[in-house]
Amino acid sequence: MGEVEAGKSASRVRNICVLAHVDHGKTSLTDSLLAASGYIHSRNAGKLRFLDSREDEQRRGITMKSSSAVLLHKQKFGDDEHSFIVNLVDSPGHVDFTGEVESAMSVCDGALLVVDVGEGVCAQTVTVLRLAMDRGIQPVLVLNKMDRLFTEFKMEPMDAYRHINNILEQVNVIVGVRDLDSIIRASENYAESVEDTDAVGEDGGAGWSVDEDEETATNMFSPANGNVAFASAIDGWAFRVENFASMYSKKFGLKRETLVRSLWGDYYVNAKTRRIVHGADKLPKKAVPSAAKPMFVGFVLDNIWKIYESVQNSDPESIEKRRNIVGKLNLKVTARDYRHREGKIAVRAMMNSWLPAAKGLLDMVVEKLPSPVVAQRNRLGLLWPHSKPDNQEGAEAWLRTKNAIETCDSSEGSPFIAFVSKMIQKPEDGSDPKIRQPKPREESKAADELQTPDTNGEPSVAPGNGQEQEFVAFTRVLSGSVKAADKLYVYGPRFQSGSDQGWSTAEVAKVVLLMGRDMNAVEKVSAGSVCGVEGLDNAVLKTATLSNIPPEQMLPLASRLGGSETTSDLVVRVALEPHTPLETERLQLGMKKLNQADPMVDTYVMETGELVLAVTGELHLERCLVDLRERFAKGVRFHVSEPIISFRETVSTTGPTVVATTANKQVSITLKAMPIPTRVARKLDQEAPRIRTLLGEAKSNDDLVSQPEELRKMRGTLVEVFDREEELFNMMKSRLWSSGPRSFGTNILLGPPEACKFPCYSKGISMWRALFFDYEPDECSSLNPTIANGIVAGFQHTTAAGPLCEEAMYGACFSVEDIHIDDTVVGDGPDPYGPLSGQIISSVKEALRNAITSSQPRLVEALLRVEIQTTMDTLGSMYKVLAKRRGRVVRTEIKEGASIFEVEALVPVTESFGFADVLRMQTSGQASPQMVRSHWEVLEQDPLWVPQTEEELEDWSLEDKTLANNNLAAKLVNRTRRRKGLHVVDKIVDKAEKQRTLKRNK
């Protein structure tokens, strides 16, 4: 493949990531692929978990960091053999590390979706599949752990077939729900195509024919479509129906294409008529029961089951069966292996020789997943969402960039454009790996020759600047090529075209290929490839766009290459405190490096001086603390606080109007607070990232939005969510001023009604209304932007810190009912109370806090959606743990074909810490939870309630401690205020009259 022309090499590249739920066998499956390229010995495949290079990954048995490797695969097309490069990225399956999954998807065009056939479709399976479809990544399905159906569940082949078919239906439901419109269009089209396919294969070998199944014409996951593979990572085998079609086409003289269509589905063999029929009802009534098996059972599963049956015992009869199987299948297996006393070794040797996993999976990858040339053309709107400018110079730059990305142009003179998905810290020099790293075979080195032919034999390294580089930028090259010493522009995620901010320059120190646990320096990497770029430590924090196009002509890539900014929330925050003040600077530097190395970490300093670390979950927090102590802040002693829990504040009823009067009595503003319906607030919360992007773009581009599709989606979502709230929606259309906090939250500010004597507008208010409703305000003779901007600023301050415990507001609507201006109170000299804008901000802020207090304020807490898989024996213990944690079960169902219950529950974040450990302990390790943020929910208890009426005083005396103990909302408010250093009313002495005098012993 080293002789392939540079222009064609991108078509021989596949960039894929491996996606799955935790413990479904992703990393074990990649071992088989790595073994075929010489990274590890084939005997260690499935056991070594080579890409899990961290010690804690090996200890826990789960992947925490996405890792990449370059594979070489040779495949025949007709009489010609072609070589392909497969850039493989293994991603985590635990929900805490979804950010790593997103980073892996950002550099890939296709995905291997791995599903454990024993457990079926799980929570993270749904999440990663939807993520892939949102980003335009084409997936293929791998049904892993097929051996469990025989060895663990003791299924017969027919039962296993039904079970597999059920799992396929579950996966296809996800695809169908996600893309219902395209399925409807496809169903309209294949009604016509089926009419002409009643006798497909009639001219096949020896007069065989097959009735076409309509389901094979869809784009769903189906073995007949070639996008489903069956595998056992631990035993090292995998196959598609194409593999068995090739075997039987030679044996029976059938056309291979005929068998591919009929080896899956409700197809049966009628031996008398030599016809493959669709449906058992077309078989002769006198057919023996054994013949009434679908072809997949009789031709595929029965043969695999016979091999597994032969290794159940080590008696001479079983060994003779193995010898016969090896002889009939002509397998290259030594007598020592197939006669081995341990059945796992024998079955692995036979199955790996018969159906090698690497060939079956990589054949599917090459045939069914797109090359970078095809993928970038199909995903151009997601990768680069820009419309053609009106001016000629901008249009020429737009067209040049569009053609370069769309064609994956790597020719000389083409613009260089690449995306940095994340920053990877280089291995420490001189550190011994935790696991021995076998050297790859010579075949694996051909990967370098394909992507970066090195004429000198040695990679060139740019002269360093004297500073050791600690990070490597994980980069996908979309057009052009990159080599050492190239000088590039680095554009951050917030860069807007033509802006003077958000970009910098850097020089490439070295270009490397990521080869599992090693990094091999190369001379050059061209478009369509994945590589590592050194020298960007000070220019890139997490993600960036790299290019040689200057800022005035640059149209940046999408911030997450077609996806949302993040699907995970940083629900766990802790404060770090150094043991001595002298170590503060080193700890801050270590936290900065951790933030750069982890895509789902945020570090910042609070106003109180606390160093805060925000992560996605407890397991993520544990890994980050290990990285801080052992790598980024090695030798620094620090203490970790209790988790900092975020709340929200809201109002439960519409309160009375309050008046905000400036200090000089010139302006009086009448305000009112009211709650927003729950479903509206949740939808606004979900749309906040999109609103943030569009609003920032509108401000930078003078109200011109370059993503009309995103704007259309957002407006459609608003119309959909407000369909039952017509009154509020109409008020927003005519009176919307702002949203908060930080201009894109769940709280709404409505301006004065049309009857107001002094309407006020400003450019920001006009932009907001135009952004949401395509509305332009009419010209008005009384425009006062100072008052309007002051009201908006006071609203933003109030929604950022509510009156209960200074947490952000959630789901509250504030309405300006009237504005009164008295110009007679203003004298000729300067105002002694300061600028009018400042007076308006302070008075509006105070008035809004009073409006919240008088509208029955409530505390809002975050809930986690918990997916638990457990057995029937431990179901009761699981319910007890949930009850103690204020959990609420919303769904319970049993997995078909297995005695495993899948429970979905909601647990407050305040009760989630330590939940997984307690659940495992109470269920003897048989229940494993997966937790992800669900939504905000209002606590119905009034945090300010105290008994006032005679009945209340009789039931709850002011001195009764049960009042404070039972008011959960008040306890959470006081705990938060105490943590923030705010005033808390506490009774220091409960019973002063019972104070006793201590007697001095003489």
Side-chain angles (χ1 to χ4, degrees):
M1 197 53 195
E3 297 84 5
V4 176
E5 299 176 15
K8 296 183 179 179
S9 61
S11 63
R12 304 285 177 85
V13 175
R14 300 293 185 271
N15 300 311
I16 65 169
C17 55
V18 187
L19 310 174
H21 187 78
V22 65
D23 290 333
H24 277 206
K26 299 179 305 302
T27 307
S28 299
L29 197 65
T30 58
D31 274 1
S32 298
L33 307 182
L34 294 170
S37 293
Y39 284 87
I40 59 177
H41 195 280
S42 59
R43 290 185 180 273
N44 293 328
K47 306 173 185 177
L48 187 60
R49 302 199 313 276
F50 180 75
L51 292 182
D52 286 349
S53 57
R54 295 170 56 96
E55 183 180 9
D56 47 3
E57 289 179 325
Q58 291 287 336
R59 186 179 68 253
R60 287 182 173 271
I62 62 173
T63 304
M64 298 182 183
K65 282 279 191 181
S66 56
S67 303
S68 177
V70 182
L71 310 178
L72 177 68
H73 178 62
K74 295 182 179 181
Q75 186 171 356
K76 279 190 175 183
F77 290 91
D79 297 331
D80 298 330
E81 185 179 61
H82 300 284
S83 296
F84 292 85
I85 289 297
V86 178
N87 292 307
L88 175 71
V89 185
D90 183 28
S91 63
H94 196 281
V95 67
D96 280 7
F97 308 110
T98 306
E100 292 284 345
V101 180
E102 293 178 338
S103 297
M105 289 185 184
S106 297
V107 298
C108 295
D109 306 313
L112 288 176
L113 179 66
V114 182
V115 176
D116 183 348
V117 291
E119 296 184 5
V121 176
C122 297
Q124 195 67 359
T125 309
V126 179
T127 301
V128 296
L129 180 55
R130 287 176 177 169
L131 269 176
M133 292 186 293
D134 286 342
R135 294 168 181 265
I137 294 174
Q138 184 174 336
V140 291
L141 181 63
V142 180
L143 297 176
N144 193 26
K145 302 189 180 182
M146 288 283 294
D147 57 293
R148 293 184 65 191
L149 301 182
F150 177 81
T151 60
E152 183 177 340
F153 298 112
K154 308 297 182 184
M155 290 184 179
E156 294 297 324
M158 192 66 195
D159 297 330
Y161 168 73
R162 296 192 185 99
H163 181 74
I164 294 169
N165 199 26
N166 182 55
I167 293 176
L168 273 174
E169 290 177 357
Q170 294 176 20
V171 179
N172 283 328
V173 163
I174 304 171
V175 179
V177 172
R178 171 63 182 80
D179 203 4
L180 185 59
D181 292 339
S182 61
I183 296 175
I184 293 175
R185 289 193 297 268
S187 65
E188 294 174 351
N189 293 333
Y190 66 51
E192 302 176 359
S193 62
V194 171
E195 294 178 358
D196 300 329
T197 56
D198 292 334
V200 173
E202 289 183 354
D203 59 342
W208 283 87
S209 64
V210 55
D211 294 334
E212 179 73 12
D213 183 4
E214 296 181 2
E215 293 183 358
T216 61
T218 69
N219 293 323
M220 311 290 276
F221 289 116
S222 173
N225 293 338
N227 57 1
V228 178
F230 306 87
S232 172
I234 195 68
D235 291 336
W237 58 268
F239 70 90
R240 292 185 297 161
V241 293
E242 281 85 346
N243 299 98
F244 281 89
S246 300
M247 299 177 194
Y248 290 119
S249 64
K250 299 176 182 178
K251 183 175 181 180
F252 297 112
L254 284 161
K255 290 184 67 174
R256 182 177 180 272
E257 293 75 12
T258 300
L259 281 172
V260 168
R261 292 196 303 271
S262 57
L263 274 177
W264 177 261
D266 198 22
Y267 287 98
Y268 300 81
V269 173
N270 190 339
K272 291 185 177 181
T273 61
R274 299 180 63 81
R275 184 179 179 88
I276 298 172
V277 297
H278 183 219
D281 56 330
K282 296 182 181 179
L283 291 173
K285 296 183 179 179
K286 296 183 180 180
V288 293
S290 60
K293 291 182 180 180
M295 292 183 63
F296 186 77
V297 177
F299 284 62
V300 180
L301 292 184
D302 281 348
N303 293 321
I304 296 175
W305 257 236
K306 288 178 182 178
I307 295 179
Y308 275 91
E309 285 177 353
S310 69
V311 300
Q312 295 301 303
N313 301 306
S314 298
D315 54 89
E317 184 179 353
S318 299
I319 293 177
E320 183 63 22
K321 287 182 180 180
R322 301 179 200 172
R323 189 182 66 81
N324 293 335
I325 292 173
V326 170
K328 289 181 179 180
L329 297 177
N330 194 22
L331 304 180
K332 296 181 180 179
V333 181
T334 63
R336 176 186 176 185
D337 285 338
Y338 74 75
R339 295 172 63 91
H340 204 283
R341 293 167 57 184
E342 292 188 20
K344 296 297 292 182
I345 295 178
V347 75
R348 178 180 178 81
M350 291 189 290
M351 293 298 297
N352 183 256
S353 176
W354 185 29
L355 301 169
K359 177 171 175 53
L361 295 177
L362 292 179
D363 282 353
M364 179 173 64
V365 166
V366 168
E367 293 177 14
K368 296 300 177 181
L369 296 183
S371 67
V373 178
V374 176
Q376 290 180 197
R377 181 173 62 248
N378 296 337
R379 300 171 59 206
L380 181 64
L382 296 174
L383 300 174
W384 191 66
H386 297 284
S387 55
K388 187 176 181 179
D390 296 331
N391 59 324
Q392 182 178 357
E393 184 179 355
E396 292 177 355
W398 174 86
L399 184 61
R400 184 169 59 253
T401 305
K402 173 181 177 294
N403 292 336
I405 298 177
E406 193 172 22
T407 60
C408 196
D409 188 5
S410 60
S411 61
E412 192 72 25
S414 61
F416 171 70
I417 302 173
F419 180 77
V420 176
S421 173
K422 67 172 186 174
M423 301 296 287
I424 305 173
Q425 192 188 32
K426 296 167 60 177
E428 296 180 358
D429 295 335
S431 62
D432 296 329
K434 302 298 180 184
I435 301 176
R436 185 176 60 87
Q437 304 179 33
K439 293 183 178 180
R441 294 197 301 262
E442 293 299 325
E443 290 87 344
S444 64
K445 297 182 180 179
D448 302 349
E449 301 175 4
L450 172 65
Q451 298 190 65
T452 57
D454 188 356
T455 56
N456 298 327
E458 294 183 359
S460 61
V461 180
N465 55 5
Q467 183 179 1
E468 182 68 22
Q469 298 292 325
E470 296 187 29
F471 291 92
V472 176
F474 190 36
T475 307
R476 164 68 183 271
V477 182
L478 298 176
S479 70
S481 59
V482 60
K483 61 182 181 298
D486 280 353
K487 294 182 179 180
L488 304 175
Y489 295 99
V490 181
Y491 300 100
R494 297 185 179 181
F495 170 77
Q496 299 294 334
S497 181
S499 174
D500 294 334
Q501 299 178 348
W503 64 273
S504 60
T505 58
E507 181 178 346
V508 177
K510 187 188 299 184
V511 181
V512 298
L513 288 183
L514 305 175
M515 312 288 288
R517 301 178 184 181
D518 297 327
M519 296 182 183
N520 293 350
V522 291
E523 182 181 3
K524 183 177 70 172
V525 171
S526 300
S529 300
V530 176
C531 65
V533 178
E534 295 186 19
L536 306 179
D537 287 23
N538 298 324
V540 180
L541 178 61
K542 291 180 180 290
T543 64
T545 299
L546 306 181
S547 181
N548 55 7
I549 303 176
E552 57 272 10
Q553 301 178 7
M554 180 63 186
L555 296 172
L557 298 169
S559 60
R560 299 296 292 182
L561 285 195
S564 59
E565 291 194 357
T566 178
T567 59
S568 301
D569 292 281
L570 307 180
V571 297
V572 178
R573 296 183 300 158
V574 294
L576 306 182
E577 181 183 359
H579 188 69
T580 61
L582 297 177
E583 297 176 322
T584 302
E585 186 176 350
R586 293 177 58 196
L587 178 59
Q588 284 183 300
L589 179 60
M591 294 176 66
K592 179 182 177 182
K593 293 180 180 179
L594 175 65
N595 186 24
Q596 190 173 14
D598 196 315
M600 286 308 297
V601 161
D602 190 17
T603 59
Y604 55 91
V605 181
M606 298 184 68
E607 296 178 356
T608 57
E610 292 177 293
L611 304 178
V612 177
L613 171 65
V615 295
T616 57
E618 283 188 276
L619 185 59
H620 191 202
L621 174 63
E622 181 180 337
R623 193 203 71 188
C624 290
L625 293 178
V626 169
D627 286 345
L628 268 179
R629 290 190 172 103
E630 297 182 359
R631 303 194 69 176
F632 302 114
K634 195 171 184 178
V636 178
R637 295 177 298 171
F638 59 87
H639 306 283
V640 183
S641 72
E642 292 294 323
I644 302 172
I645 302 171
S646 297
F647 294 96
R648 295 291 184 267
E649 302 178 27
T650 189
V651 295
S652 58
T653 62
T654 301
T657 59
V658 295
V659 179
T661 305
T662 58
N664 61 3
K665 311 298 182 183
Q666 181 184 1
V667 181
S668 297
I669 305 167
T670 305
L671 302 160
K672 183 173 65 174
M674 64 187 78
I676 292 178
T678 303
R679 58 189 298 271
V680 176
R682 289 182 183 175
K683 201 63 176 180
L684 289 174
D685 190 28
Q686 295 173 6
E687 293 294 317
R690 186 181 295 170
I691 297 173
R692 180 194 301 118
T693 302
L694 294 176
L695 186 63
E697 189 174 290
K699 289 180 178 178
S700 301
N701 297 345
D702 197 18
D703 302 353
L704 296 178
V705 178
S706 63
Q707 301 186 41
E709 183 66 20
E710 290 293 316
L711 184 60
R712 185 189 62 79
K713 288 181 181 179
M714 188 194 67
R715 288 174 176 169
T717 302
L718 284 177
V719 173
E720 178 184 352
V721 76
F722 281 104
D723 58 352
R724 300 178 187 175
E725 308 295 336
E726 186 176 354
E727 182 180 356
L728 179 60
F729 188 62
N730 291 332
M731 285 195 300
M732 287 182 60
K733 288 183 67 175
S734 59
R735 299 173 54 189
L736 177 64
W737 270 19
S738 184
S739 174
R742 295 181 298 276
S743 300
F744 45 80
T746 59
N747 307 285
I748 295 172
L749 175 64
L750 301 180
E754 295 180 0
C756 178
K757 186 178 180 180
F758 296 97
C760 302
Y761 294 107
S762 69
K763 180 180 177 181
I765 293 172
S766 301
M767 181 190 63
W768 255 97
R769 208 169 302 168
L771 183 65
F772 279 94
F773 305 106
D774 196 16
Y775 170 84
E776 291 295 336
D778 299 330
E779 291 294 332
C780 180
S781 59
S782 179
L783 301 179
N784 196 330
T786 302
I787 297 178
N789 291 335
I791 295 174
V792 171
F795 162 78
Q796 296 292 346
H797 282 290
T798 304
T799 54
L804 290 180
C805 50
E806 294 195 0
E807 292 286 337
M809 297 295 298
Y810 175 87
C813 177
F814 300 96
S815 173
V816 179
E817 299 297 319
D818 191 15
I819 301 175
H820 178 73
I821 303 176
D822 187 1
D823 294 327
T824 60
V825 301
V826 181
D828 297 334
D831 195 331
Y833 298 100
L836 180 62
S837 59
Q839 297 181 49
I840 293 176
I841 293 174
S842 59
S843 60
V844 168
K845 178 180 176 181
E846 187 65 27
L848 289 179
R849 292 173 71 91
N850 293 334
I852 295 170
T853 307
S854 59
S855 301
Q856 297 186 14
R858 293 290 185 269
L859 197 67
V860 187
E861 64 177 350
L863 296 185
L864 299 178
R865 178 170 55 84
V866 184
E867 295 276 353
I868 305 173
Q869 289 187 340
T870 185
T871 60
M872 182 180 296
D873 297 335
T874 58
L875 202 59
S877 301
M878 182 207 64
Y879 282 133
K880 290 180 181 178
V881 175
L882 284 174
K884 290 181 179 179
R885 299 281 179 148
R886 294 196 291 128
R888 186 171 73 247
V889 177
V890 296
R891 179 178 61 86
T892 303
E893 63 181 27
I894 188 171
K895 288 281 188 180
E896 185 176 347
S899 59
I900 298 176
F901 282 86
E902 189 175 87
V903 180
E904 181 179 342
L906 296 174
V907 176
V909 173
T910 54
E911 305 289 344
S912 65
F913 301 102
F915 173 78
D917 295 335
V918 173
L919 182 63
R920 291 192 188 99
M921 183 175 61
Q922 294 295 327
T923 59
S924 302
Q926 297 188 44
S928 55
Q930 287 267 298
M931 294 184 287
V932 64
R933 182 184 177 275
S934 177
H935 61 274
W936 294 96
E937 188 170 274
V938 179
L939 277 172
E940 294 300 330
Q941 293 173 308
D942 186 355
L944 304 179
W945 183 82
V946 291
Q948 294 179 347
T949 65
E950 293 183 1
E951 294 181 357
E952 291 174 348
L953 288 171
E954 184 177 348
D955 295 336
W956 307 86
S957 67
L958 290 175
E959 296 182 355
D960 192 353
K961 285 188 176 182
T962 58
L963 172 63
N965 293 337
N966 291 326
N967 194 337
L968 176 64
K971 289 168 59 178
L972 295 176
V973 167
N974 289 337
R975 184 190 305 172
T976 306
R977 292 182 66 89
R978 193 175 290 111
R979 176 178 60 82
K980 294 184 176 182
L982 304 175
H983 176 65
V984 178
V985 179
D986 282 330
K987 293 182 67 175
I988 300 176
V989 179
D990 287 332
K991 301 290 184 180
E993 67 275 9
K994 291 187 177 181
Q995 180 178 357
R996 61 177 185 161
T997 303
L998 297 178
K999 184 178 180 181
R1000 189 183 219 179
N1001 294 326
K1002 295 183 180 179

